[in-house]
Amino acid sequence: MTSPLRHRNLPQLLLQSREALMQRFRPMLNELGVTEQQWRILRALLQEDGLEPRQLCERCLISSPSITGVLARMEEAGLIDRERMDHDQRRVRVTLTDQSKAIGERMAPIVEQQYAELEVLVGVQALQQVYDVLDTLLQRLAPAGQEPGTDTQAHGRADASPAKNPPQVNGGRPLTMQP
């Protein structure tokens, strides 16, 4: 029987690509006792410390209900501090602790080494093409007048939407599939 579907399953290919990439980073995260969600939050805060939970939801692609529990566990583990903002007690600012800064410093060369190996494996030019194609895809799929990743809806899956202000790697190119 022939399938009535003409196109390859792009979302599935992107998920498979993400999983293949994460297999390179997951052992490092496991060694440090940091989950993928926690690493996305730490990496976002390493890029810009002092974000609000809603900003972390957008940048890390974690739903609002999920981030509450993740942040609570991270605070218990000494990875983050949460403090009420002076000008508006309803708002909370999330910052890194010395412990999480040390994790970031320990992870940075390992992460960079993985990217260097990826550049050798795939090729610098091919990897740059991937960045360019993903940037274009995200830009063109964003609703009119909205930056990619600034969806105000809660994200149901961590890998379903692009991050706002994704981390900069490879000469300043954004990488949406962290680490």
Side-chain angles (χ1 to χ4, degrees), residues 101-120:
K101 289 176 187 174
I103 289 173
E105 287 176 19
R106 183 171 171 201
M107 285 290 292
I110 299 168
V111 168
E112 290 305 315
Q113 177 61 38
Q114 286 298 317
Y115 281 109
E117 290 176 17
L118 191 58
E119 287 177 341
V120 169

Side-chain angles (χ1 to χ4, degrees), residues 33-59:
V34 176
T35 67
E36 291 178 39
Q37 286 184 326
Q38 289 172 339
W39 174 245
R40 288 199 311 263
I41 291 168
L42 291 177
R43 181 144 178 179
L45 292 171
L46 287 166
Q47 296 287 141
E48 183 181 354
D49 201 10
L51 296 172
E52 294 181 58
R54 66 173 177 76
Q55 293 171 310
L56 288 168
C57 287
E58 292 171 356
R59 290 184 175 116

Side-chain angles (χ1 to χ4, degrees), residues 4-179:
L5 304 170
R6 295 183 310 115
H7 294 89
R8 293 179 67 193
N9 188 338
L10 183 57
Q12 184 69 28
L13 287 170
L14 290 171
L15 287 170
Q16 289 170 334
S17 298
R18 179 190 185 279
E19 183 57 28
L21 286 168
M22 286 307 301
Q23 286 179 8
R24 302 177 79 67
F25 296 98
R26 204 171 278 124
M28 295 172 274
L29 299 177
N30 291 339
E31 182 180 315
L32 292 169
V34 176
T35 67
E36 291 178 39
Q37 286 184 326
Q38 289 172 339
W39 174 245
R40 288 199 311 263
I41 291 168
L42 291 177
R43 181 144 178 179
L45 292 171
L46 287 166
Q47 296 287 141
E48 183 181 354
D49 201 10
L51 296 172
E52 294 181 58
R54 66 173 177 76
Q55 293 171 310
L56 288 168
C57 287
E58 292 171 356
R59 290 184 175 116
C60 301
L61 305 171
I62 300 172
S63 70
S64 184
S66 291
I67 204 157
T68 302
V70 175
L71 292 177
R73 287 185 294 280
M74 289 178 76
E75 188 173 36
E76 270 181 32
L79 295 173
I80 60 157
D81 286 321
R82 293 187 286 182
E83 58 188 65
R84 300 250 174 236
M85 294 186 176
D86 291 336
H87 66 281
D88 187 345
Q89 291 292 300
R90 296 170 297 176
R91 294 172 62 189
V92 175
R93 183 173 176 245
V94 180
T95 56
L96 295 170
T97 62
D98 288 341
Q99 179 183 344
S100 58
K101 289 176 187 174
I103 289 173
E105 287 176 19
R106 183 171 171 201
M107 285 290 292
I110 299 168
V111 168
E112 290 305 315
Q113 177 61 38
Q114 286 298 317
Y115 281 109
E117 290 176 17
L118 191 58
E119 287 177 341
V120 169
L121 182 66
V122 176
V124 174
Q125 186 176 8
L127 193 56
Q128 186 60 52
Q129 289 173 335
V130 170
Y131 286 126
D132 292 342
V133 168
L134 289 173
D135 287 341
T136 299
L137 182 70
L138 294 172
Q139 182 181 32
R140 292 186 183 171
L141 291 178
Q146 181 179 333
E147 285 184 52
T150 59
D151 183 20
T152 56
Q153 299 294 319
H155 301 291
R157 291 211 24 122
D159 49 8
S161 303
K164 181 179 179 184
N165 299 329
Q168 302 296 306
V169 295
N170 194 26
R173 300 301 305 184
L175 176 66
T176 58
M177 292 185 273
Q178 291 183 21

